Amino acid sequence: MIERMGFWIDLESAYVTYTNGYIETVWWMLAEMFRRDLLYQGHKVLPYCPRCGTGLSSHEVAQGYQRVEDPSLSVRMTIVSDEGAQYKQERPSKTALLTWTTTPWTLPANVALAIAPEATYVEVEQDGERLVLAKALLDAALDNDYKVIREFPGEMLEGLAYEPPYRLVDHPNTYRVYAADFVNMEEGTGIVHTAPAFGEDDYQFGLERDLPFFHPVDLAGAFTEAFPLGASRFVKEVDPIIIEDLRTRGLLYRYTPYEHDYPFCWRCDTPLLYYAMDSWYIKTTALKDEMIANNRRIQWYPPHVGSGRLGDFLENLKDWALSRDRYWGTPLNLWVCEACSKVIAIGSRAELIKQALDKELATEVELHRPYIDAVALRCPDCPGTMHRVPNVIDTWFDSGSMHTAQWHYPFENEEAFRASYPADFICEAMEQTRGWFYTLLATSTIIHGELPFRNCIATGLGLDEDGFKMSKSKGNVIDPWDLIDRYGADCLRWYLFASSAPWKSKRLGEADVKEPLYRFLDTLRNTYNFFALYASIDAYDPESHDAPQEQTNVLDRWILSRLASTTSAVTEGLDAYNVVAATEALEGFLDELSNWYVRSSRRRFWKGGMGPDKAAAYTTLYVVLVDLAKLIAPFVPFIAEAIYQRLRRSADSPSVHLCRYPQATEDRADATLEREMTLAREIVSLGHKARNQAQFKVRQPLARALIEAAPEGEAVALRDGVLDLVRAELNIESMEVVTSLDPHLTAVAAPNFSALGPRLGPLAKKAADWIKQQSASDLRDTLASGGVAVELAGERIEIHERDVAFESAVPEGFVLAAEGGLRFLLDANLDEALREKGLVREFVHQLQLLRKEAGFEVTDRVRLGYTSDEATTEVLERHRELIASEVLALEVDPTLSKDHETEKEIVLAETAITVGLSRAESH
């Protein structure tokens, strides 16, 4: 897949994290941390995957949250003693503490209840029973009506003894109410069930209160015999059993589904359980400020990944739980003395050999388990023997060490390491923000005090056609091989680059990928094919046709200027890691090249011989295509190489990918010409709109057009060469740019009803009709010297200057089109000469279509015959030479006296003409 997609990776010297050299560098890094007291052993609550059999670090947990629905329980826990508490029962053994939990499976491990001491609590009576809970949560926590008996501060509940749902622990401090700062008034009942074995807050709370650590769950996530009701069953499977048991015993007050975010294992998608476990930690919190500072120096794309996702994670940073209980992975390089318990960290194979009891074994040993576990060391402090701890390390430490370990630094390759560190940029999925992005930053900051990379592009998700995340388990994935085989890797690459910024999630369906094939790649192929076809016909050879010292054709100067501008825009986009800006510049340039330069230059390539202008056109298009192949090479490497290989000269680089990337040449840039040509294309677009309004095909020549061009408020002039292109494209014989069209429009008098209506009432319409019938110039002169008296419907009224609005109208036979600061006035009047030219051009067009239908080659010379009425034949005969040159006819026979390979009847100006064509060479 890497090779087929043209993904540029140095596969021959790729780093592999399980090699001994890589592991040795990782050991060196860990030993450095150990010597700086940044590696320590602790007993903490870890998110634990029972399927993988290991704890996860905080950045791993951050990758696996899912929206889930869990049972939310309110459970009655009856007060059994108020001795030592300020709260006293009015009805002994009849009042229950209403306790809340979203993890029913932890209830067997309950040893205490927690309350907020400063919050207000209430005792309520409902359906003959009394319940205690937080006042702020009354309405949300209780069903049906209730009566408040009394209220009091939470601190009064401290010391109460209660009956747990499962009394499995015998300890003097258990089953009592304690104050805690983690109890909130946002959800639940304000009384929280506590199990120190299964929660970070609970664990710390248990340490502070000297509560027992009761853990009735094994490492596979199943209950032990300590809880017979769920023995040997996975804890989440026991939730409904516990709920039913509580309901049967009258302890369940309420059960409702509770939707929340819950962490799942990012590897196997198993729900994580929070276990209190021994683990080795990296004291990342000691370098929190340095990491934050280095993160701010990185250019993130998009910026919110660094400032938001990763920035927030760093602000709430926790120590890195490093050790894992897995079998496979980089072994943790700590050896412990069995006699004096001294711990040392081995930072290299040389250190290992020096400390080893069996030096030969240490010299040759594979650094993975089980081989490394056989290496025993001599304790430096006593005669005892040291054995390696059984753990391996978090695999994210491996990947997060690649900035250094790929070079086997500091043991070799120091120059290569220095030259490549920090990296210029990295790119990975957005989900790596708290994975690879973070671990690279953490290890680099700890070991080198430096940021690991200068720029980072975070990519978005691949979505299906309906906008849902692709997932093999959902079956909504697309086989990339199918897309590549059908449309090509370049097509898929261009879609991924050009459709949106890399960090935005992308819908990926067949239609999405197919679209750039026709929008961009086919335009590119067609442009090259046009050049290749006519260069072959004319035997154009770039080896023998040097580029002219000075371009005299305005089109050549313009496209070379646009090439320079595009090169600058693409380079600026890529330098700024803005691939969308780069692809937009390339798409815009290719459109200009194909739909303006080539289109407007066709006659230069078609004409016979190889004059200076034709040679300049070939050389210009050749230079543009070669540079374009280089510009697009990083985006669409295969078509770029294919075009380059067909164009390259013998002295050129053997591959487009070994060429230097193009640089814009200032001597080619002509900003004024580019602005003029942009305006010219806008005028052409407006001119076509005017022709459509006049209902004339472009093949019908028209006499004249006037252009008022002031797109930014100031009139713009077009040099003759540019204006000639507009005239040729629109097939208009005379064209002029004027400062204003107003003198060429007809003035008309129009009634101003806002003035007439209030003053004249019912007579306003008659006054309006009178105004419309007047000559605008005469009425303007009359009103300029005062009002005019008019008799309407037997009444004499005055028409004043404010009653009349003078407007411009298009003269008869003209069409006006306007857009932005452009106005285009087209003379749509036809005389006989124009009609005749139009008929000839339509005849040529029909013949060209017939050539194509008959399968004639572009270069085929033909015999043409036709029959028509006398008048049409006279017109066509007057233009015999033009027709013959346009269709490459060596013979034009107006009698159709010979047989032809293909014959067809066409209609010109409602006149039927039978035409016949044959290849001249075949006869």
Side-chain angles (χ1 to χ4, degrees):
M1 178 63 74
I2 286 173
E3 292 178 351
R4 184 65 184 88
M5 281 296 291
F7 189 18
W8 291 89
I9 291 179
D10 185 4
L11 293 173
E12 292 182 5
S13 53
Y15 67 87
V16 181
T17 60
Y18 61 72
T19 61
N20 283 340
Y22 196 98
I23 291 172
E24 188 175 23
T25 295
V26 170
W27 276 14
W28 169 75
M29 295 171 66
L30 291 170
E32 287 292 303
M33 296 178 189
F34 185 81
R35 290 172 189 129
R36 289 161 54 189
D37 292 327
L38 295 175
L39 203 59
Y40 69 93
Q41 189 175 28
H43 188 77
K44 293 187 177 181
V45 171
L46 286 177
Y48 176 84
C49 175
R51 183 182 180 279
C52 296
T54 190
L56 279 73
S57 52
S58 55
H59 51 271
E60 289 181 293
V61 175
Q63 297 180 77
Y65 276 90
Q66 298 179 23
R67 197 73 178 169
V68 298
E69 193 175 83
D70 275 330
S72 169
L73 304 188
S74 297
V75 181
R76 302 175 178 91
M77 298 197 187
T78 305
I79 299 172
V80 295
S81 172
D82 56 17
E83 184 179 347
Q86 296 180 52
Y87 171 87
K88 300 299 179 183
Q89 297 182 87
E90 293 182 353
R91 299 167 63 184
S93 301
K94 297 282 187 166
T95 304
L97 300 166
L98 194 58
T99 307
W100 181 68
T101 183
T102 58
T103 53
W105 64 269
T106 62
L107 285 171
N110 172 265
V111 293
L113 296 179
I115 50 90
E118 297 179 359
T120 300
Y121 284 75
V122 293
E123 179 183 327
V124 302
E125 187 170 64
Q126 184 183 62
D127 298 330
E129 68 173 332
R130 292 202 178 183
L131 301 171
V132 175
L133 68 160
K135 181 180 180 181
L137 296 164
L138 265 173
D139 292 335
L142 294 182
D143 299 324
N144 305 322
D145 296 333
Y146 58 86
K147 177 182 178 183
V148 176
I149 303 301
R150 51 176 166 163
E151 62 180 66
F152 42 85
E155 62 184 2
M156 291 182 64
L157 296 172
E158 287 188 77
L160 285 177
Y162 66 91
E163 183 62 32
Y166 304 101
R167 185 177 285 272
L168 303 178
V169 180
D170 184 13
H171 188 281
N173 293 343
T174 57
Y175 310 131
R176 291 190 176 275
V177 176
Y178 296 93
D181 57 8
F182 57 78
V183 180
N184 65 61
M185 296 293 122
E186 297 171 4
E187 55 188 356
T189 65
I191 302 176
V192 178
H193 132 72
T194 303
F198 301 117
E200 191 169 353
D201 288 335
D202 297 40
Y203 178 73
Q204 293 299 326
F205 181 72
L207 291 179
E208 294 166 5
R209 302 296 183 178
D210 191 24
L211 296 172
F213 181 79
F214 178 57
H215 200 306
V217 179
D218 63 22
L219 293 178
F223 278 108
T224 67
E225 292 298 330
F227 181 54
L229 188 62
S232 302
R233 303 188 67 165
F234 183 62
V235 293
K236 298 295 285 182
E237 296 175 0
V238 181
D239 275 350
I241 296 174
I242 291 174
I243 293 169
E244 184 56 34
D245 180 60
L246 295 175
R247 180 183 286 111
T248 301
R249 294 158 54 201
L251 300 181
L252 183 65
Y253 177 83
R254 177 198 283 175
Y255 159 52
T256 54
Y258 173 71
E259 193 175 85
H260 64 133
D261 293 321
Y262 192 85
F264 284 69
C265 179
W266 63 276
R267 279 191 179 86
C268 67
D269 214 29
T270 299
L272 300 180
L273 309 178
Y274 281 81
Y275 279 10
M277 305 176 71
D278 285 327
S279 182
W280 285 90
Y281 291 84
I282 300 173
K283 198 183 294 181
T284 45
T285 51
L287 288 98
K288 172 182 172 179
D289 293 342
E290 289 87 340
M291 285 188 218
I292 291 173
N294 279 336
N295 179 48
R296 288 173 178 161
R297 293 169 57 204
I298 297 169
Q299 293 295 320
W300 289 93
Y301 305 91
H304 68 74
V305 173
S307 61
R309 287 168 66 102
L310 185 54
D312 294 343
F313 182 75
L314 293 174
E315 290 291 346
N316 299 285
L317 191 64
K318 298 177 182 178
D319 285 346
W320 185 343
L322 178 71
S323 59
R324 297 289 182 271
D325 294 322
R326 300 188 182 112
Y327 184 84
W328 173 253
T330 296
L332 182 56
N333 54 328
L334 300 177
W335 270 256
V336 182
C337 178
E338 61 186 12
C340 69
S341 300
K342 181 178 178 62
V343 182
I344 64 170
I346 296 297
S348 67
R349 186 181 287 273
E351 284 185 42
L352 185 69
I353 296 168
K354 182 179 178 181
Q355 296 288 120
L357 295 176
D358 185 339
K359 298 188 183 302
E360 183 178 350
L361 173 62
T363 302
E364 299 177 357
V365 69
E366 153 69 43
L367 297 184
H368 284 102
R369 301 183 70 189
Y371 318 106
I372 191 63
D373 295 337
V375 179
L377 308 184
R378 183 180 297 106
C379 180
D381 289 359
C382 77
T385 299
M386 309 187 84
H387 297 282
R388 197 187 69 82
V389 298
N391 310 100
V392 296
I393 66 169
D394 180 3
T395 189
W396 283 105
F397 193 96
D398 286 328
S399 61
S401 301
M402 55 77 61
H403 48 70
T404 302
Q406 66 173 315
W407 302 108
H408 194 209
Y409 178 87
F411 306 102
E412 58 178 327
N413 300 319
E414 183 170 355
E415 274 189 33
F417 166 68
R418 298 293 179 196
S420 70
Y421 177 84
D424 290 319
F425 100 104
I426 65 168
C427 175
E428 251 294 356
M430 192 81 72
E431 283 70 19
Q432 295 288 349
T433 304
R434 295 160 187 173
W436 192 47
F437 300 164
Y438 162 70
T439 57
L440 285 170
L441 176 64
T443 56
S444 180
T445 301
I446 293 170
I447 298 300
H448 303 293
E450 180 59 276
L451 50 81
F453 46 86
R454 298 184 180 94
N455 299 274
C456 177
I457 297 180
T459 58
L461 293 171
L463 309 177
D464 66 14
E465 292 177 285
D466 297 319
F468 294 104
K469 179 181 176 181
M470 285 193 184
S471 168
K472 285 184 287 187
S473 61
K474 292 180 181 177
N476 63 339
V477 296
I478 293 177
D479 185 340
W481 287 108
D482 289 344
L483 286 178
I484 294 168
D485 290 343
R486 193 171 296 126
Y487 301 110
D490 280 336
C491 186
L492 180 55
R493 288 174 62 101
W494 190 259
Y495 168 73
L496 294 173
F497 285 130
S499 58
S500 61
W503 47 87
K504 292 186 179 296
S505 294
K506 301 178 193 295
R507 295 191 181 196
L508 191 63
E510 185 171 342
D512 300 309
V513 176
K514 187 172 158 184
E515 194 265 342
L517 178 65
Y518 304 107
R519 175 174 51 86
F520 181 76
L521 295 179
D522 270 11
T523 303
L524 179 62
R525 288 190 189 96
N526 292 338
T527 304
Y528 165 76
N529 289 339
F530 174 87
F531 171 82
L533 174 65
Y534 287 97
S536 175
I537 293 170
D538 287 319
Y540 170 78
D541 182 4
E543 302 263 12
S544 56
H545 289 84
D546 294 329
Q549 295 298 313
E550 182 178 352
Q551 281 79 20
T552 57
N553 188 289
V554 69
L555 270 171
D556 295 343
R557 295 203 310 274
W558 168 73
I559 198 62
L560 290 173
S561 177
R562 286 296 302 124
L563 177 63
S565 301
T566 301
T567 300
S568 294
V570 173
T571 303
E572 288 171 10
L574 293 181
D575 285 349
Y577 297 89
N578 188 344
V579 291
V580 174
T583 54
E584 284 177 349
L586 287 167
E587 286 185 336
F589 176 73
L590 183 59
D591 175 71
E592 293 169 326
L593 176 66
S594 172
N595 294 321
W596 188 245
Y597 178 79
V598 171
R599 180 188 179 91
S600 301
S601 297
R602 277 180 176 154
R603 290 195 170 275
R604 301 170 68 195
F605 292 98
W606 287 345
K607 63 186 177 184
M610 183 63 84
D613 182 60
K614 188 173 187 179
Y618 272 122
T619 302
T620 299
L621 186 51
Y622 173 82
V623 168
V624 169
L625 285 171
V626 170
D627 269 17
L628 182 57
K630 295 174 184 177
L631 286 171
I632 65 175
F635 303 93
V636 282
F638 299 105
I639 193 172
E641 181 73 358
I643 291 174
Y644 178 80
Q645 288 299 332
R646 289 162 174 78
L647 295 175
R648 79 180 185 91
R649 297 167 299 191
S650 56
D652 291 339
S653 172
S655 169
V656 70
H657 302 295
L658 297 176
C659 296
R660 289 197 173 275
Y661 205 64
Q663 292 183 317
T665 52
E666 293 184 7
D667 59 330
R668 283 182 178 174
D670 186 339
T672 301
L673 176 58
E674 288 190 35
R675 284 194 297 272
E676 285 186 46
M677 203 65 83
T678 298
L679 180 60
R681 297 189 71 189
E682 292 172 354
I683 292 171
V684 165
S685 176
L686 197 59
H688 283 304
K689 183 178 179 181
R691 291 193 67 113
N692 288 337
Q693 290 177 20
Q695 297 184 335
F696 283 123
K697 295 178 180 178
V698 177
R699 286 185 290 280
Q700 172 60 62
L702 296 176
R704 179 172 176 249
L706 298 173
I707 305 155
E708 178 187 298
E712 296 178 1
E714 295 184 12
V716 178
L718 294 179
R719 65 192 76 186
D720 290 340
V722 175
L723 198 58
D724 288 342
L725 293 172
V726 177
R727 183 183 58 76
E729 175 66 22
L730 292 173
N731 197 13
I732 297 173
E733 297 189 340
S734 172
M735 190 169 289
E736 182 183 355
V737 179
V738 297
T739 55
S740 174
L741 286 178
D742 289 346
H744 303 277
L745 302 177
T746 303
V748 294
N752 179 10
F753 283 103
S754 62
L756 290 171
R759 186 166 63 85
L760 298 180
L763 290 175
K765 186 177 184 309
K766 292 187 177 296
D769 292 340
W770 181 86
I771 291 170
K772 292 176 185 177
Q773 295 168 6
Q774 307 307 305
S775 161
S777 58
D778 293 345
L779 186 58
R780 192 193 302 270
D781 293 340
T782 302
L783 294 177
S785 57
V788 57
V790 179
E791 187 168 327
L792 296 174
E795 291 190 37
R796 187 176 182 80
I797 60 171
E798 290 280 330
I799 301 295
H800 303 292
E801 192 170 10
R802 65 176 178 273
D803 297 328
V804 182
F806 292 96
E807 299 175 349
S808 296
V810 180
E812 187 175 353
F814 284 74
V815 171
L816 179 67
E819 190 170 312
L822 293 176
R823 291 202 294 172
F824 190 97
L825 184 63
L826 177 66
D827 184 349
N829 296 290
L830 290 182
D831 57 21
E832 282 305 314
L834 290 172
R835 286 193 178 89
E836 184 170 305
K837 290 178 182 178
L839 185 142
V840 170
R841 290 192 66 161
E842 181 62 29
F843 183 58
V844 168
H845 173 67
Q846 294 289 345
L847 292 176
Q848 299 287 27
L849 292 178
L850 186 57
R851 279 181 60 108
K852 188 173 182 180
E853 289 173 9
F856 291 1
E857 297 293 334
V858 174
T859 55
D860 283 345
R861 298 299 193 261
V862 298
R863 290 188 302 104
L864 166 63
Y866 68 89
T867 59
S868 185
D869 62 26
E870 184 177 351
T872 303
T873 301
E874 285 182 10
V875 171
L876 297 180
E877 281 297 292
R878 279 197 295 271
H879 298 274
R880 172 193 285 259
E881 290 187 8
L882 172 64
I883 294 169
S885 66
E886 290 289 330
V887 301
L888 301 182
L890 299 180
E891 174 188 318
V892 179
D893 177 11
T895 64
L896 200 63
S897 59
K898 300 176 183 177
D899 292 335
H900 289 276
E901 293 178 45
T902 182
E903 292 189 6
K904 185 178 182 180
E905 183 175 279
I906 62 175
V907 176
L908 290 182
E910 301 181 352
T911 299
I913 304 176
T914 302
V915 297
L917 287 177
S918 297
R919 293 178 180 84
E921 290 79 3
S922 63
H923 296 269

